[in-house]
Amino acid sequence: PTAKPTAKPAPQAMTVFDRGHVDAFNVTARQGKLALDLKEDVTGSHVRRDPAKVELHVKSAAWNEKIPAGWPGGPKGYALSMTQDPNLLWPGWDTLGTQGGGVDPKVTLRFQSVEGPGAVHVYGQTSFGGPSALLDGNQYQLVDGATLPVNAPAHVHANWIFAKPGVYKFTVVAEGTAGGKDVKSEPKTYTFTVGDQFRGKGNADASAGDGKAQPPASAPDRNDADKSGGKPAGEHPAGGSAPST
């Protein structure tokens, strides 16, 4: 008899985070080996998760049409500030867990692949109020092969600007040295969904998107932003405040 085709299992639902403190790229070290995962303070304190099972969601309320002229990713896009807005996702990275693990202090995050419907910019801010490059080569845009050096164990938050709604996927590896030898973590894939219509679509293809950076149906209320800086004790953002309306 003709064999019946095996039904393809439905994709497993991913845990969605759309607000709160998330160290997306959490690097740890043990016995001279590096590991990369995700750490969040949304459901508890320093809860570690497999990035493949997490969807990081950027709400339509993050849409900003008044990004200052000359800032990377401007003049409009879905903006996550390096200063915490309690109503939005606050992603960053943390390499403090490498201390005492037998690796040298400097760790580099390498973006092996960057997929999505639009450009993604990541950067800090200088004390004079201008954008500050965090990527090697004084670059601001995440592209295939982009590297983000963390020269000493640190906990960092930055500005993120997503140009268009849709599904974005980053495959990232942590690299460093131990005893004069190069070491690196296993690569991990991170999923960001941008725009309310894509919430819960983390399993979708990264090319998903309408190709247009459209604002949400109603203008977002920016008055809910944390005016005090929203920076818990022990946070070390990349400096200054993010572009805002």
Side-chain angles (χ1 to χ4, degrees):
T2 304
K4 294 183 179 179
T6 304
K8 187 176 181 180
Q12 238 181 355
M14 302 169 77
T15 300
V16 179
F17 293 107
D18 62 8
R19 68 177 67 197
H21 179 228
V22 177
D23 293 321
F25 314 123
N26 181 54
V27 187
T28 57
R30 184 177 181 183
Q31 297 180 343
K33 296 181 179 180
L34 289 172
L36 180 64
D37 61 8
L38 179 147
K39 183 174 64 177
E40 49 94 357
D41 290 326
V42 180
T43 64
S45 177
H46 294 177
V47 179
R48 294 172 64 176
R49 295 180 180 269
D50 179 357
K53 298 179 181 179
V54 172
E55 174 185 321
L56 299 172
H57 179 63
V58 182
K59 297 177 181 178
S60 290
W63 178 257
N64 188 339
E65 293 187 348
K66 297 181 181 179
I67 298 173
W71 283 71
K76 56 188 177 181
Y78 294 84
L80 298 178
S81 172
M82 59 187 295
T83 302
Q84 186 178 15
D85 180 336
N87 294 312
L88 299 175
L89 184 70
W90 195 36
W93 50 92
D94 191 339
T95 65
L96 294 174
T98 62
Q99 298 176 100
V103 300
D104 294 337
K106 180 179 179 179
V107 171
T108 296
L109 294 169
R110 181 178 299 275
F111 291 77
Q112 293 182 327
S113 67
V114 177
E115 303 174 51
V120 183
H121 291 81
V122 179
Y123 52 93
Q125 187 169 332
T126 70
S127 57
F128 297 101
S132 171
L134 300 176
L135 302 171
D136 274 329
N138 290 319
Q139 299 300 304
Y140 297 91
Q141 184 176 339
L142 287 181
V143 296
D144 292 354
T147 53
L148 194 164
V150 186
N151 294 322
H155 180 193
V156 182
H157 287 267
N159 302 306
W160 297 72
I161 310 292
F162 293 83
K164 298 179 180 180
V167 180
Y168 295 77
K169 291 182 182 291
F170 311 143
T171 299
V172 184
V173 63
E175 301 176 338
T177 57
K181 297 181 179 180
D182 292 337
V183 293
K184 62 182 180 179
S185 70
E186 292 294 323
K188 300 292 183 178
T189 297
Y190 294 80
T191 300
F192 284 76
T193 57
V194 179
D196 292 349
Q197 67 270 41
F198 289 97
R199 191 183 193 282
K201 305 294 185 181
N203 287 308
D205 186 90
S207 62
D210 58 15
K212 299 178 182 178
Q214 295 290 343
S218 58
D221 181 2
R222 305 294 295 181
N223 295 324
D224 291 333
D226 183 353
K227 303 297 190 303
S228 67
K231 191 172 59 175
E235 297 295 334
H236 300 283
S241 59
S244 60
T245 55

